[in-house]
Amino acid sequence: MSHIDTTLLEQYVSMLGPNGLRESMTTFNELMPSYMDELKTMVAAKDSSATRRQAHKMKGACRSLGFVRLALAMEYIEKDAWHWQGVESLLMSWPTEMSQDIKTATEWLDKNSPDQA
């Protein structure tokens, strides 16, 4: 669970209800592939400024739903000194990590709101 901020998820459940959080996670899951495509295009063009801006955008989306690991990866791209090869490598594993973390968050939500599943 350390990849997911369950305290934040609990706050969302209390404010939005389980279905509201599910809708937010669905929207996240739908938007991230296009955000990733944009990021990959910027990386392929070796545009470090645009790459960092896109990573910032993705980091915010990740943090807004408690996806800690995903946000940290984007924060690294946004702020740290890196080489293109390292970013490309990180981007290769990110979709798998995103899928795992969405699954973990969904399972947490199902477990913590079984009447709403």
Side-chain angles (χ1 to χ4, degrees), residues 84-108:
W84 290 110
Q85 186 177 11
V87 170
E88 291 164 353
S89 177
L90 187 149
L91 296 184
M92 288 176 60
S93 63
W94 204 82
T96 300
E97 292 172 354
M98 184 183 94
S99 179
Q100 291 168 347
D101 290 356
I102 288 172
K103 181 178 184 240
T104 300
T106 302
E107 288 171 353
W108 176 91

Side-chain angles (χ1 to χ4, degrees), residues 64-99:
S64 73
L65 285 174
F67 294 116
V68 176
R69 169 174 57 174
L70 301 175
L72 287 173
M74 290 301 120
E75 184 173 333
Y76 168 77
I77 296 172
E78 175 193 13
K79 295 183 177 180
D80 291 346
W82 41 257
H83 298 284
W84 290 110
Q85 186 177 11
V87 170
E88 291 164 353
S89 177
L90 187 149
L91 296 184
M92 288 176 60
S93 63
W94 204 82
T96 300
E97 292 172 354
M98 184 183 94
S99 179

